Amino acid sequence: EDKVVQSPLSLVVHEGDTVTLNCSYEVTNFRSLLWYKQEKKAPTFLFMLTSSGIEKKSGRLSSILDKKELFSILNITATQTGDSAIYLCAVEYSGYALNFGKGTSLLVTP
Amino acid sequence: ETGVTQTPRHLVMGMTNKKSLKCEQHLGHNAMYWYKQSAKKPLELMFVYNFKEQTENNSVPSRFSPECPNSSHLFLHLHTLQPEDSALYLCASSQERQGANTDTQYFGPGTRLTVL
């Protein structure tokens, strides 16, 4: 059965800390892995990863995919309170379907 | 299994057809959402229902008509669609706890819609 597992489910850190969020998957006919940040309503897109070992970076956020071990990590350095959100991982597979994980709820305290 | 199911998983329709997408959540949540995911575009929020009441309609054309008969079921009725409406339509649900800033949304697998 196709599945996407995120860990941890929730995390509390202090401003300035670095966090690593994990996403592992088991899907047939993998196409891409996507990271989203959900703050209020619609999740906002962060990264799309299709190739192993190539880091994608946007400011303090970065992400990398390991297609051999079937996982991805999302790193956030020098966290700020504005990073508090739910981070969703989704895997696109055959037929262009999306399979979402349950999310990691991140709280950054001042 | 996220507790949110969608049917059908794939749908091909002509521009003059009328069809409906169905979403069901088994999580006891109070809010349900319709999203559109087009190729190479961000996830677009279409409609939000809270306790069966529509609370958001993000300028969606009237050829998309949502219906929420109860907190567990959400429909998207489609008629006279255009080829550019072809996309993955995702349903999600969340608890909507009182006083909570954000509640995790649980997504269904989506319906892949192709309009010919």
Side-chain angles (χ1 to χ4, degrees), chain A residues 6-43:
Chain A
Q6 291 187 245
S7 63
L9 287 182
S10 64
L11 193 54
V12 181
V13 300
H14 293 295
E15 262 190 319
D17 287 351
T18 292
V19 297
T20 298
L21 310 183
N22 303 290
C23 176
S24 65
Y25 62 91
E26 290 178 33
V27 299
T28 49
N29 298 316
F30 172 90
R31 295 184 64 88
S32 65
L33 185 144
L34 302 99
W35 283 99
Y36 292 91
K37 179 182 182 183
Q38 184 201 329
E39 290 177 274
K40 291 277 163 52
K41 291 294 182 201

Side-chain angles (χ1 to χ4, degrees), chain B residues 7-14 17-21 76 78 81 86-87 89 111-116:
Chain B
T7 54
R9 296 295 304 275
H10 299 273
L11 179 63
V12 179
M13 60 188 285
N17 291 158
K18 283 186 183 181
K19 296 284 183 185
S20 295
L21 309 185
L76 188 63
L78 317 169
L81 295 191
S86 299
Y89 288 85
T111 295
R112 172 60 57 181
L113 174 68
T114 303
V115 182
L116 301 176

